[in-house]
């Protein structure tokens, strides 16, 4: 996709937007048909489901336009200039990003009595744009919080050495002897594939299974003072 066609960036945009445009158009046609039909509980549920599909498709379009395509364009420009990717613009405090992501995930996880603890140094700078970091970290932490079973516990550790990395996993809590993942989490097939791709474009990597993830990102200035989050 990146090496074919006269304009790789335009081809990438076309490849990403075409299926999303088709999904949005067909979803709205179906929703209009259901909305005009006689009132019934089944039809109302169908309209609600189509509304959810529409919202998620619009959200993914914005993610593609605001994060994926700018990163891809920068990556392509670096390739054309002979840049090996070792000097990337931007410096973001990954600790602050993680704390915000955990705060949001805790508000979501409270419904399932899922607890979350994060351990991090005082500062870990990464050579990645702040918006991109927030998309990546927020998406991964929220996914794990929603994938955790009721009354589970999530442990998150951010380390600066040898590379900036966030390790998060669902662990036993209370009488649980092992976490029981949800086998059909709707976020994993689509959203987390995008997270992997964006992390790769940033010079990082995402590894995950049903109960854990590890995110690494390229380093900026590393700090060694450690503390625990409240």
């Amino acid at each position: 996709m990146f090496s074919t066609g006269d304009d790789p960036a335009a081809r990438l945009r076309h490849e990403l937007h075409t299926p999303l445009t088709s999904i949005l158009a067909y979803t709205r046609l179906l929703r209009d048909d259901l909305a005009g039909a006689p009132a019934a509980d089944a039809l109302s549920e169908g309209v609600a489901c189509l509304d959810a599909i529409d919202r998620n498709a619009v959200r993914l379009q914005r993610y593609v336009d605001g994060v994926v395509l700018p990163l891809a364009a920068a990556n392509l420009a670096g390739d054309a200039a002979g840049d090996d990717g070792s000097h990337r613009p931007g410096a973001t405090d990954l600790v602050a990003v993680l704390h915000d992501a955990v705060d949001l995930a805790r508000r979501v996880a409270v419904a399932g009595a899922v607890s979350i603890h994060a351990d991090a140094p005082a500062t870990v700078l990464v050579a990645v744009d702040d918006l991109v970091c927030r998309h990546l970290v927020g998406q991964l932490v929220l996914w794990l919080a929603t994938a955790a079973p009721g009354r589970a516990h999530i442990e998150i550790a951010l380390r600066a050495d040898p590379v900036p990395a966030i390790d998060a996993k669902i662990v036993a809590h209370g009488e649980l002897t092992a976490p029981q993942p949800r086998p059909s989490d709707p976020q994993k097939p689509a959203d987390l594939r995008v997270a992997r791709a964006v992390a790769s474009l940033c010079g990082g990597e995402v590894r995950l299974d049903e109960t854990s993830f590890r995110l690494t990102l390229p380093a900026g200035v590393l700090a060694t003072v450690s503390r625990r989050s409240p």
Side-chain angles (χ1 to χ4, degrees):
M1 183 180 297
F2 286 91
S3 60
T4 58
D6 296 332
D7 187 343
R11 177 173 175 80
L12 176 61
R13 179 182 177 84
H14 172 77
E15 293 288 346
L16 291 173
H17 269 276
T18 297
L20 288 171
T21 301
S22 300
I23 290 169
L24 282 168
Y26 192 59
T27 299
R28 289 171 183 178
L29 284 174
L30 291 174
R31 186 179 58 185
D32 291 344
D33 288 344
L34 286 177
D41 289 343
L43 292 178
S44 298
E45 291 177 3
V47 171
C49 289
L50 291 171
D51 283 343
I53 294 171
D54 187 275
R55 287 194 303 272
N56 287 327
V58 169
R59 177 172 172 265
L60 189 54
Q61 271 191 334
R62 291 171 179 169
Y63 189 78
V64 166
D65 288 338
V67 178
V68 178
L69 292 177
L71 279 171
N75 190 65
L76 290 167
D79 289 344
D83 183 6
D84 63 1
S86 59
H87 302 287
R88 297 177 183 273
T92 298
D93 184 2
L94 193 54
V95 176
V97 171
L98 177 61
H99 285 173
D100 288 346
V102 168
D103 286 344
L104 175 60
R106 281 174 176 154
R107 293 196 290 270
V108 173
V110 69
V114 175
S115 58
I116 304 174
H117 173 77
D119 180 37
T123 305
V124 176
L125 296 183
V126 291
V128 181
D129 179 75
D130 180 81
L131 176 62
V132 176
C133 276
R134 292 185 182 277
H135 272 290
L136 280 173
V137 177
Q139 199 168 38
L140 290 166
V141 172
L142 190 59
W143 161 73
L144 200 59
T146 55
R151 297 189 59 78
H153 180 66
I154 295 174
E155 284 285 349
I156 303 175
L158 168 57
R159 297 292 179 261
D161 296 315
V163 296
I166 297 175
D167 288 288
K169 62 181 178 180
I170 303 171
V171 298
H173 182 72
E175 295 182 2
L176 289 176
T177 57
Q180 300 296 319
R182 297 173 188 173
S184 57
D185 183 353
Q187 285 191 341
K188 186 176 180 182
D191 287 356
L192 297 184
R193 281 203 301 266
V194 174
R196 282 195 184 102
V198 172
S200 179
L201 286 171
C202 293
E205 183 181 25
V206 175
R207 297 181 183 178
L208 70 153
D209 55 29
E210 292 85 354
T211 60
S212 68
F213 74 80
R214 176 178 175 83
L215 170 66
T216 59
L217 291 171
V221 179
L222 301 182
T224 58
V225 179
S226 62
R227 66 176 174 84
R228 282 185 175 269
S229 68

